[in-house]
Amino acid sequence: MSPAPIVIAHRGVPGERLEHTRPSYLLAVEQGADYIEPDVVSTKDGVLVVRHENEIGGTTDVASRPEFADRKVSKFIDGVPHTGWFTEDFTLEEIKTLRVRERLPALRPQNIPLEGVEKILTFDEVLNIAEDASEGRDEPIGVYVETKHPTYFAGIGHDLNDLLIANLERRRVNHDGAKIIIQSMETGNLRRLRDRTPLTLIQLMDRQGAPYDLIEARDRRTYADLVAPRELATIATYADGIGPNKSQVIARDKKYRLAGQTALVRDAHDAGLMVHIWTMRNENNFLPTNLRTGNDKAAHGDAVGEYLAFFDAGVDGVFSDFTQTAVLARSQWSARQ
């Protein structure tokens, strides 16, 4: 019998707590996550902090802080124009004065009362959370870290690989057996990491677009190209697994219902790669239409049914915004194996 898929707490439990905050990660641990997942970007003074994006106007109270009004700027991030406030323009000391807001208030109004209290975490603080939570456990809590926009950050003098490896070395966790996984939407930084760490590396994918490092290099390959068996074999030379958009594993039809399984899991396994899909969520807005309940986008549908379909498809892990639901679905699936 195959091992049960792992549950990766995607930014903690953002369906019930503000994403990337201490309460969110702690709740994920309490609910049974195997890994907690931070996204990391850099501050002006080269410290890795945990945010979904380096633009923080939508996830913090920075827009209401008059002392930072002049930091609002427009930039191109991975070729896309953005206007707002960016972590690389703030020192860690300044970042720590900000307070976190809900990123999806229309879908997660229950988190709005939690705003204005929690600070932005550093990557080091997330490692502390996992380390403290692992005390007394047979199996430690893992950390599954994503480096965001590595080509962009390298271009402004912040090499996320260097910052990450330095942090891991300082913590003495850059070694075989450490329960840390590194993921990226780009390819080049993972290739460069391969000789610097024995930790598990995961090549993220999406159903649209292309890795930005390939775009910048004028390489025509897209994420859709990377799922071909020949490309998967290449990925296996520098990574241990892939993290595809879930619709790359089970397609959806024109009515946005779950359709048939693709060949991706089989082909990835044939190449020796694990498959960890993203992102599983309970809200109707994110579910296939045949698993939704009513017309309220924020209401919860049959999320367990979606998990079971993907577990049956053979995935090795799931990124989830609702750890408790993921763990429940895994238990149901395991009981029938």
Side-chain angles (χ1 to χ4, degrees):
M1 185 173 68
S2 300
I6 63 170
V7 172
I8 306 147
H10 185 240
R11 312 173 198 161
V13 190
E16 300 182 59
R17 300 289 187 272
L18 297 174
E19 67 180 31
H20 288 317
T21 61
R22 184 179 300 276
S24 192
Y25 290 125
L26 290 176
L27 182 60
V29 171
E30 179 184 326
Q31 292 183 346
D34 300 298
Y35 288 82
I36 54 176
E37 192 251 8
D39 301 324
V40 295
V41 292
S42 180
T43 64
K44 185 177 183 178
D45 43 351
V47 178
L48 292 179
V49 293
V50 179
R51 286 288 85 195
H52 173 54
E53 295 289 344
N54 54 325
E55 199 290 302
I56 53 175
T59 61
T60 73
D61 62 356
V62 67
S64 66
R65 305 288 289 273
E67 67 270 33
F68 297 132
D70 62 347
R71 306 284 178 94
K72 187 177 184 180
V73 294
S74 296
K75 302 184 180 191
F76 281 89
I77 311 296
D78 294 356
V80 179
H82 293 273
T83 298
W85 291 261
F86 298 84
T87 58
E88 64 269 22
D89 297 327
F90 292 77
T91 64
L92 178 62
E93 183 178 11
E94 291 171 330
I95 285 281
K96 282 294 190 178
T97 68
L98 303 177
R99 296 297 179 267
V100 176
R101 295 174 53 207
E102 171 55 42
R103 189 172 63 87
L104 301 172
L107 293 176
R108 293 170 178 171
Q110 67 273 16
N111 287 345
I112 295 175
L114 306 177
E115 295 180 347
V117 177
E118 297 300 322
K119 298 179 181 181
I120 292 177
L121 296 171
T122 64
F123 177 55
D124 212 47
E125 287 173 319
V126 175
L127 291 175
N128 286 340
I129 290 170
E131 185 177 287
D132 292 346
S134 297
E135 289 187 11
R137 292 174 175 264
D138 293 334
E139 183 66 30
I141 301 298
V143 175
Y144 200 128
V145 56
E146 179 181 355
T147 56
K148 304 286 288 200
H149 311 297
T151 293
Y152 166 78
F153 273 106
I156 59 171
H158 295 295
D159 188 311
L160 297 186
N161 280 6
D162 287 348
L163 296 176
L164 180 61
I165 292 298
N167 202 312
L168 297 174
E169 290 284 357
R170 186 173 64 252
R171 297 291 297 249
R172 298 182 180 178
V173 290
N174 187 29
H175 60 78
D176 276 321
K179 199 171 177 182
I180 295 174
I181 297 176
I182 303 170
Q183 54 175 324
S184 178
M185 295 296 295
E186 296 188 20
T187 66
N189 64 316
L190 289 177
R191 290 176 182 272
R192 291 187 293 274
L193 277 171
R194 184 71 289 167
D195 291 334
R196 303 180 67 180
T197 180
L199 298 173
T200 298
L201 303 181
I202 300 291
Q203 177 67 67
L204 295 175
M205 300 176 169
D206 205 348
R207 58 189 179 87
Q208 296 178 327
Y212 186 68
D213 61 306
L214 297 188
I215 294 174
E216 190 177 67
R218 293 182 170 80
D219 186 321
R220 290 178 171 271
R221 286 176 297 163
T222 66
Y223 288 119
D225 295 322
L226 296 186
V227 303
R230 181 179 62 185
E231 295 290 348
L232 292 171
T234 299
I235 289 171
T237 65
Y238 66 84
D240 305 285
I242 58 172
N245 182 304
K246 61 187 180 182
S247 63
Q248 293 176 286
V249 169
I250 301 179
R252 298 195 185 188
D253 64 19
K254 292 181 179 179
K255 294 186 177 180
Y256 213 60
R257 299 171 298 194
L258 283 182
Q261 296 177 19
T262 70
L264 182 55
V265 171
R266 181 197 66 206
D267 291 344
H269 287 169
D270 285 347
L273 295 165
M274 300 178 287
V275 180
H276 298 159
I277 59 166
W278 57 273
T279 301
M280 307 296 281
R281 297 176 168 114
N282 288 12
E283 294 98 348
N284 282 329
N285 186 71
F286 303 109
L287 288 169
T289 51
N290 56 309
L291 295 177
R292 294 176 186 174
T293 303
N295 297 318
D296 181 356
K297 290 184 177 182
H300 291 192
D302 181 15
V304 169
E306 186 184 33
Y307 282 103
L308 294 176
F310 281 100
F311 292 157
D312 285 342
V315 302
D316 304 291
V318 292
F319 290 84
S320 174
D321 279 9
F322 292 85
T323 299
Q324 192 169 40
T325 306
V327 171
L328 172 63
R330 181 174 62 183
S331 295
Q332 290 186 13
W333 181 82
S334 295
R336 71 185 198 193
Q337 297 307 299

